[in-house]
Amino acid sequence: MATMTLTQVAQHAGVSTSTASRYLRGQLNVQPETAARIDAAVAALDYRGATASRGVRTARPGAGPHARTDAGQGVVALVVPDFTNPFFTTLAEECADLAASRQIPLVVAVSGKHGERDGGLSPLIGGSDVLGGLIYLGMSRTDERLARAVEDGLPVVVIDEEIDLDLAVDTVTVDNYGGAYQATRYLIQQGHRRIAHVAGPPELSTTQERKRGYVDALSDAGLTVDPELVRHGPYTEQFGASTFPYLTRPGNAPTAVFVGSDIVAVGMLGAAELHGIRIPEDLSVVGCDGIRIGQWLRPQLTTLEQPVAALALAAVDALERAMARRGADAPDDAAEPARTVLPLHLVIRGSVAPPSAP
């Protein structure tokens, strides 16, 4: 027999998925007839995801977003793609520090850059009282574990990347379009006309929005976008170092480049000398993320700085609100999913200069 889902149970009982989930987890009191329908649906469909216990609470009714939650809240899982990119590491540290300061137990699961790793997360999703909430910092836009978590009524907040799945979850992102537009316009104001863009994986929302900002800034300045000057690849130093053969072709070389990730820009700066490129005399470079190592490079990296502390604060606050709503027996439609968008800040350093005279 095929494994039944919580959504099928809810449809069979004539209630919403959220109502079924919260009732089965002991987080919602319903009318006796509603409880009977849900119990009957569980039995009829042989649903195995329901928790055995009732009466577990995630937060005190009426508690504020910063109030200490009850011991039954379960742990919060922070999902990160990997720790090779310092941006992910710093953001994870901020989230962990905030959780610790609020006495929220937190575990970290590593999903992999394409969501291919489980990180021990799957056993906690679906009928488990262990997991109380999920902060998803990922590079995979279609991770089905998110759908499963939301279906099971788990409070979820997505941070950094938008997602393709049609899920009613809070999101916390930055203004990637506005930041990229600002960075590209700054290069134009410095006198650059041939500006390359070294971008991330094309399927990611961050990549798409940063590229859109780059293209619009050029277009608004009356400059033509040269497809030969746009390169896509992973957010790694190796990819950055590999771009110079494409950016130094005779008669086609740019004088500046907007890089969609600082870690990629680090690879470019490290490999520039091997290709006879002086930074910024021959090529001005602007990165994105504001990782700490950028200020220790020579020259120091001009970058769009991510508001890491504010991102972490917004994500943890949003998750606490979602956990409190679930614990307070709020109606299913008590709150629409919130989308928080924070600004990027251009930090001007030594990796940008006006183009050299021909």
Side-chain angles (χ1 to χ4, degrees):
M1 181 177 180
T3 301
M4 295 294 105
T5 68
L6 186 61
T7 297
Q8 290 172 306
V9 170
Q11 291 172 345
H12 192 280
V15 299
S16 72
T17 302
S18 175
T19 294
S21 173
R22 292 162 64 201
Y23 166 73
L24 292 173
R25 288 176 181 270
Q27 295 155 354
L28 178 65
N29 294 320
V30 298
Q31 294 296 321
E33 58 270 24
T34 302
R37 291 204 312 272
I38 298 174
D39 290 338
V42 169
L45 299 178
D46 193 25
Y47 177 62
R48 303 299 178 88
T51 56
S53 62
R54 303 261 168 89
V56 177
R57 288 295 197 194
T58 58
R60 294 188 302 273
H66 300 296
R68 181 177 178 179
T69 50
D70 294 335
Q73 72 171 34
V75 300
V76 168
L78 172 64
V79 179
V80 297
D82 62 64
F83 286 116
T84 61
N85 190 328
F87 168 65
F88 297 140
T89 304
T90 304
L91 188 52
E93 288 175 346
E94 288 284 346
C95 289
D97 287 347
L98 274 171
S101 71
R102 300 180 185 183
Q103 303 181 43
I104 301 171
L106 182 142
V107 297
V108 177
V110 179
S111 65
K113 293 180 180 179
H114 304 289
E116 69 274 12
R117 299 179 193 164
D118 180 74
L121 190 63
S122 289
L124 301 180
I125 297 177
S128 171
D129 289 327
V130 175
L131 198 60
L134 185 68
I135 298 176
Y136 185 86
L137 166 61
M139 295 177 67
S140 171
R141 301 182 67 189
T142 57
D143 191 331
E144 293 298 331
R145 284 169 297 191
L146 285 176
R148 184 181 172 198
V150 174
E151 180 183 273
D152 281 353
L154 191 69
V156 175
V157 174
V158 175
I159 185 172
D160 185 42
E161 290 285 350
E162 303 282 1
I163 56 173
D164 285 336
L165 298 172
D166 185 19
L167 300 177
V169 297
D170 290 350
T171 58
V172 180
T173 61
V174 297
D175 183 9
N176 289 292
Y177 171 84
Y181 189 100
Q182 180 185 15
T184 307
R185 184 177 62 181
Y186 171 66
L187 290 170
I188 295 169
Q189 290 170 343
Q190 294 299 302
H192 295 281
R193 294 297 178 265
R194 287 190 59 75
I195 302 172
H197 179 36
V198 176
E203 69 274 11
L204 297 183
S205 64
T206 52
T207 298
Q208 295 165 8
E209 287 300 288
R210 290 168 192 172
K211 182 178 178 180
R212 191 168 68 89
Y214 158 80
V215 169
D216 284 358
L218 290 179
S219 298
D220 289 349
L223 301 175
T224 301
V225 178
D226 185 348
E228 292 295 318
L229 295 183
V230 178
R231 308 296 304 178
H232 285 278
Y235 287 142
T236 63
E237 305 101 309
Q238 292 80 4
F239 170 58
S242 73
T243 59
F244 280 109
Y246 302 97
L247 300 180
T248 57
R249 293 172 179 170
N252 195 45
T255 62
V257 57
F258 167 52
V259 188
S261 169
D262 276 357
I263 199 66
V264 177
V266 167
M268 293 185 67
L269 267 63
E273 186 175 353
L274 296 176
H275 294 272
I277 302 297
R278 299 171 301 162
I279 309 292
E281 293 85 357
D282 300 323
L283 183 70
S284 288
V285 180
V286 176
C288 182
D289 285 338
I291 63 176
R292 298 179 188 125
I293 195 175
Q295 61 187 309
W296 299 107
L297 299 174
R298 292 294 179 268
Q300 293 182 323
L301 180 62
T302 297
T303 185
L304 288 168
E305 188 175 59
Q306 295 255 19
V308 176
L311 280 169
L313 178 61
V316 174
D317 280 353
L319 188 66
E320 282 200 297
R321 287 193 297 269
M323 294 168 70
R325 286 196 301 269
R326 188 176 71 166
D329 293 346
D332 294 342
D333 59 352
E336 290 295 321
R339 183 171 185 264
T340 302
V341 182
L342 302 172
L344 288 165
H345 173 59
L346 182 64
V347 179
I348 298 172
R349 299 187 181 127
S351 63
V352 173
S356 301

